[in-house]
Amino acid sequence: MDVGRHPNIELLTLAQVTKLEGAAGNFTATVECKPRYVIADKCTGCGDCTIACPQTTLNEWDLGLAARKAIYRPYPQAVPSAYVIDFETCLNTETHFVCERCRNTCKRDAIDHDMLPETKRLNVGSVIIATGFEEFHPHVMKNYGYGTWQNVMTSLEFERLLNASGPTEGHVIRPSDKKVPKNLVFIQCVGARGEGGRPNCSRYCCMNAVKDALLIKQHEPEVESCSILYTDIRAFGKGFDRFVDRTDQEDYIKFIRGRPSKLMEMENDDIEIFVEDTETQKQLRMHSDLVILSCAGIPNPGTAELADVLGLKTNEIGFFAIGAENKPVETTKPGVFVCGSAGGPQTIPDCVAQASAAAAQASFYVKEDKLPEPEPLIPKPIEAEAEPRIGVFICRCGANIGRVVKTDELAKEAEKFPNVVYSGVALFACADTGQNEIKEKIQEYNLNRVVVAACTPRTHEPVFRQACLEAGLNSYLLEMANIRDQCTWVHSKAREQAYGKSLDLIRMAVARSVYLEELKATEVETTKHVLVIGGGVAGMQAALDSSSMGFNVTLVEASKQLGGRVKNLYSVFPTHKNNSNPADELIEKVNASNINVLLDSQVEQISGFVGNFEVTFKTNNGTQNLEPLKTGAIIIAIGTSLFTPGEKWNYDKPNVITSMELENILLNDDQEGLLKNSKRAVFIQCVGSRCRDEGYTGCSRYCCPTSVKQAIELKEKGIDSTILYRDMRMVSRGAEEYYRLARKRGILFLRYDLDHPLKFGGEDKIESISFEDTLLNREVSVPADLVILATGMINEKEHSETLRQLTKVPRGDDGFFLERHPELGPVETCIDGVFLCGTIQAPKDISDTLTQASAAAAKAGELLNKDKLYIEPTVCEVNPELCRACGTCVDICEYHAPGMAIQPDGKEIAQINKALCKGCGTCAVWCPTNSITARHFTDDQIGAMITALFEDYHV
Amino acid sequence: MHTEEIKIQKAEKKKQERQKVFEPKVLVFACNWCSYAGADNAGVSRIAYSPNVRLLRTMCSGRVHPSFVIKAFVEGSDGVIVSGCHFGDCHYMFGNYRAEEQYKKLQEIVGLLGLEPQRIALEWISAAEGPRFAEVINNFVEQIRKIGPSPFVNGHDKTLKSEKLFDLKTYKIYECLECGRCTGVCPVAKTHHQFSPRRILSRGISQGLNSLSSDQTIWSCLTCKQCENVCPADIPYSELNKKVRAVSKELNIERTCTHGGVFEQISNLMTQQDIQQNRLEWVTDDLMIGDAKSDTLFFTGCSPYFAAYFGEPYADTLLGSLKSAIKLMNKIGIEPLLLKNEICCGHDFLLRGEPEKFKTIAELLTDQIKNTNAKRIVFTCPECMVTLRDEYPKVIGNLGVELIHLSELIESHLDEIKFEPTESSAAYQDPCRLGRYSGLYSQPRSILNSIEGFDLKELHHNKKNSICCGNTAWISCDAGTKEMQNKKMKEVVATGSKNLLTACPKCFIHLTCAQDGKKEPDNGSIKINDMWNFLGTHLQ
């Protein structure tokens, strides 16, 4: 919806790029737009045409599980909300018109069967590809029976069943007999990890299956069992492991480690599954009444064609190839970027971060062409002490409202309400004609309040507010009554009651409007400066992107040099280029730029608010006096620490090291000869990760690929390695294929778990490690000359607490800093103007760190690119006359908007920072003296609505 | 009593008749981002549901004050749903958690009011859950249909008119010498520089009542009677102030309120005939309560509602005060009757300028009292006592029963009670309604002094000069109020004692509240207790 409404975004649907000419900064794209056959500006989404259409076909959105008409809207929240004609299904062809039913039914004349395709030539500076992915087609794997047996479905199909707005309204039923399934089985890695010719891991399927398994019981309590057949559970992201652990509470969810060998259909359409439970070494024959295939993500059809058109390469698995390692959103062509699953399957938080990262980098090519900001309209103030003069506009919305309630009568009744001076009916209030009528009546009747009884304010309030503004009336003097979505659409068979309800809702709106106030947005200037805290790869990438967007940047680093942890790595997965790592390249770029770098320094104080922060610094040795800084945005990239193993891991022994220490040894050419004297190395995964009693409870994400990388490197030095793992979480790009390579090279992988702890053998040094191999159910002893502990990432309070308190960013339960929302705001925090990137938010690999860093720069840029920040005035305000400085509001606000202040007369009161307040109104409820007013949702307004409603509640 | 039973039967019959054609009136508070959107989703999917529901949109469920819900019942709702986002999904992070906290208070209040608990609901509905929204609505409406119309089905009396403007002359104000003594002693004027009793009178004399148009300061007076104490012309300032408030609507003066107006809404509900409260849960088995034959009635006041709304650290003390009062009465051989459906004395209506509602409630309460065999009513709350003693005769005539404060009663039977000796001290705060209004200074002191080892301290401004606790009738509260309260606490500190005892539940609440909050270096350590609660723990 935000994209649809955005003034700077032109949305071309049914469009394809057929040619791309030019170079970065100056491309010409040829776009072919297929005709919609519906005029989007005129269509109001009323749906009358769909009812009239005689042609039915399968709905792609519901994956063929439900039907639609030839003229349709894919789903209710589609943007644009206009309908579209699928010409393949429509009875008409380009030459023959045989059916005009939809056109005849449409009261808005919005249907045009004569619409022609259009070719547009767009001059653009950069291109971003976000074409997504498609689900693997499991019919090629005959053994799964998909397409032949009824009760085998893909996970996306299952999603549609689970979805409340799907074809079954959220009821899960078996396709064969429509009964609720009792024993579901999820089969993981379908079309992945080697199957069906696809070697990679699809990243999201493990979590998706666990989510579905947890959800299903809420939808269908009769479900008896949900089994997940897996090879590794890749719960690698923030909060993922904790989510999976929730299944411990549920007896009906079972995890069985094994890939099914054979499936057979039984009578009654059940499925029999042959699978080895590798943990118990038993061969199972499972009975399932519904099998869900967790299919991998594959490239969208047309990827190869589009790559051709754009002059890009695709990678070995058919997705758009990235231009260079550790440049995760660049393609092989400068100026063209890729984000999301178009580059390879991703989980949603990673897709969103990549999208912002692509935007950051793409904006480099367009930063000169800033769009002019429109002049704001200034409303005429209404006279002080003026009596309310309310105009009521009742919309028929074609027949949507008009067919169910008698709008003329409503208008007549509404005119009798107190303070109403005009009351009338419009066919489509939101259309140009409707809006012009509103503007005219405002002038004619000198209205100072407008009530529109129509659809929902959630979509149309901005439309009517704009109309008021254009007529010179403050846009906050508008109130809507929802008589369509919440009345005629849901009470269409109870016409009398719908009429009564409409009248009640209008009366409520009229009563509220008396108390509406003229509100004015606060304008705040912003300082066009970005402060990046932390000089590792995340900080440097964020600083470079911000700088390339045209902002001044200050980068502050606590240690004496830039580069962070990555600088001290011997080589980087997966290309192993010795002594050349991403940190070096970034350091070079930073040094060559205008970025102001403060080394050996820390942030001392932060004050101010979004767009207007003031920061002071201090050097670590206290020598220099550093200038205080005015900055508009702050990006936190301070990274995180590595877990320090304790005695339990025998870390005190001379031949037990951490993976970071191994990197150092490789870097300094094994000066102490530890490698020279070793023939056999053993890596232990999950040291300090996925633990309840020490370190981090979640997955540290980088350690599996790192250990594999190190094992391959040691192999080249003649050392054989064994990796002891719990799950192999090879989720980084290309990591699964790398895993295959490592096994080929003879590196051994043995599986242990927390229930069977490792036993270290040896006196002064470790000589062997024994444990119960969970896949062999046998005690195994692995000889070891060298033990490498793959230590996890943890957020040490001492490292980050000072900065956290200065910025007021909350910390999650897991110790890492909390993002605003894992999907909708992965790099933002609840403090406006403060952003996060890198491992301070959660453990991740270098590629994902760089992505987040660019994303953070993009978000900071979005904030500072505007000339002014307009803060919505629907915020809370303290009446200084009534405040008694009890501090309750300060305690209760998540956004730290209220603060205590001393007035000139010495009185202490609370004050709410308008730029930080989000207008939720919670503080207004908790304030004991009622001195807080929640503007636009005041007690008076709410009270008036309640009184007006029950004055005459029509039932 | 017989009449009580008939009344209940009549109410039942009326209820059944109404239920024959009963259509529930339900109101839903829906948050913009989830629940309201969920309702829209149901609309877009054309899922039909019961039309007996209207939505009121707020941005967050955390915006819903319990007083909104009570107001809905006052106005005639049969059921109210508060709906927000699922935990973890709140658009404002934790607003829905706050909504849940307020909802818990609401549940307690609804329980006290005798409303069926099924009449309110707290639901979490997301933007995608159109079908679930419809289901929730349908189930709720059916539920309400089954339990029938709200006992407050008549809504609030819209025929109540506000009073007409009156002639100030009738209030003796022309005898005012404009000497300024009232303002000099007024504790409110000391901390609220816009307020002055004298200036209000002067304006009234020279320009008539209309000169007070739009003057918010008429709400500042606490009716503490400090001014009347010193006025050489004996002007009844408190009465005058109440009278002016009664015509505040005509004078275009809007009233402020605290705590969302929740207590106002609760007392509004009590003006309705069919309320059947459930307010005696706090009575424990060790307390001996009288029966219908009892000749002594103990009037408990609104403490159970305050306890429900404020929670700790108030609830324990407020309810403990009531229990101790009964224990003390038991000790001297009295088993007091408690009114099962005791309604508010109506004091706050007068202070809010709603004399018509006061009359209504006075009549209802008088009815209740006359239906018992009580010859005497014992009070712990001085406000309630003063109201029944001074204001009720003006509207219903003579109550015909003796009205006595517990301190008077206990003091006259002090030899029958033994207290545990204690090595503690406390200052005593004279409540306005007990001291200046009723002249009961020595009685509480005698009782406290009878405790061996107890050191009773006197505040600098005590007895007739005692300074008001700062609030009355939940009307206003601000920084000046806090200043007043701080000054009082400083006086306590000055006595050297860390404890303060008071004999009024309102004083207890307001002074305890003054201790909450930031930066109270001097006063933060004062322990405030209700006198009866204190005595109750020291009974042998």
Side-chain angles (χ1 to χ4, degrees), chain A residues 676-717:
Chain A
K676 246 203 319 252
N677 301 328
S678 303
K679 277 251 149 7
R680 293 156 307 192
V682 177
F683 289 80
I684 305 180
Q685 300 307 107
C686 303
V687 174
S689 304
R690 300 179 67 189
C691 290
R692 298 260 159 84
D693 47 1
E694 60 176 3
Y696 175 41
T697 51
C699 170
S700 292
R701 199 156 156 175
Y702 82 97
C703 351
C704 283
T706 299
S707 292
V708 170
K709 170 198 84 166
Q710 291 177 333
I712 291 182
E713 268 153 16
L714 290 185
K715 186 76 176 180
E716 275 163 25
K717 294 196 175 349

Side-chain angles (χ1 to χ4, degrees), chain B residues 3-225:
Chain B
T3 352
E4 270 292 301
E5 283 170 33
I6 293 186
K7 254 212 175 138
I8 296 175
Q9 276 179 21
K10 272 201 187 152
E12 264 302 300
K13 196 160 176 223
K14 245 205 261 178
K15 194 175 180 187
Q16 283 171 12
E17 276 178 26
R18 282 198 294 259
Q19 268 176 297
K20 282 197 202 127
V21 282
F22 170 52
E23 285 295 340
K25 297 178 184 168
V26 171
L27 174 64
V28 176
F29 290 93
C31 79
N32 178 69
W33 303 93
C34 280
S35 303
Y36 192 90
D40 282 345
N41 184 281
V44 151
S45 313
R46 311 291 201 278
I47 302 174
Y49 52 87
S50 167
N52 293 45
V53 65
R54 313 280 184 264
L55 262 63
L56 198 155
R57 179 178 75 124
T58 58
M59 291 314 276
C60 180
S61 53
R63 176 75 188 93
V64 181
H65 199 293
S67 68
F68 299 164
V69 178
I70 311 275
K71 185 185 170 88
F73 285 110
V74 169
E75 304 285 353
S77 176
D78 295 308
V80 178
I81 305 177
V82 176
S83 183
C85 309
H86 292 278
F87 286 142
D89 284 345
C90 178
H91 186 85
Y92 304 99
M93 316 235 331
F94 300 109
N96 48 4
Y97 285 91
R98 304 281 166 255
E100 192 188 49
E101 286 178 55
Q102 292 289 353
Y103 184 77
K104 291 200 175 110
K105 291 186 200 178
L106 177 65
Q107 278 177 305
E108 272 202 62
I109 295 176
V110 159
L112 284 168
L113 288 168
L115 270 182
E116 298 91 324
Q118 307 99 303
R119 289 200 188 273
I120 56 172
L122 182 66
E123 295 285 349
W124 310 121
I125 301 175
S126 85
E129 290 180 309
R132 184 167 130 69
F133 175 83
E135 205 184 322
V136 165
I137 297 299
N138 285 338
N139 288 344
F140 189 77
V141 169
E142 276 326 295
Q143 194 169 274
I144 302 294
R145 212 184 280 277
K146 276 203 199 84
I147 59 179
S150 155
F152 312 118
V153 72
N154 289 316
H156 87 147
D157 195 341
K158 290 159 196 78
T159 62
L160 291 177
K161 288 187 280 289
S162 61
E163 302 215 337
K164 296 246 174 356
L165 294 178
F166 60 95
D167 189 351
L168 270 174
K169 266 197 279 233
T170 55
Y171 273 81
K172 279 188 74 173
I173 70 164
Y174 275 74
E175 294 169 42
C176 166
L177 305 168
E178 302 194 50
C179 66
R181 266 178 133 185
C182 51
T183 307
V185 78
C186 174
V188 180
K190 189 139 197 228
T191 51
H192 296 72
H193 305 293
Q194 332 85 298
F195 176 67
S196 158
R198 180 190 64 78
R199 284 202 296 272
I200 291 184
L201 282 177
S202 300
R203 283 221 302 275
I205 293 172
S206 56
Q207 291 146 45
L209 199 53
N210 280 304
S211 68
L212 296 174
S213 224
S214 309
D215 186 350
Q216 293 292 128
T217 64
I218 65 160
W219 300 110
S220 305
C221 172
L222 296 170
T223 63
C224 74
K225 292 211 179 188

Side-chain angles (χ1 to χ4, degrees), chain B residues 98 110 149 217 220 232 249 296 327 331-332 353 357 395 402 426 439 447 453 522:
Chain B
R98 304 281 166 255
V110 159
T217 64
S220 305
K249 263 228 147 91
T296 302
K327 276 192 209 152
K331 273 272 184 245
I332 61 172
K357 283 191 196 160
V395 294
E402 183 197 347
I447 302 173
D522 302 338

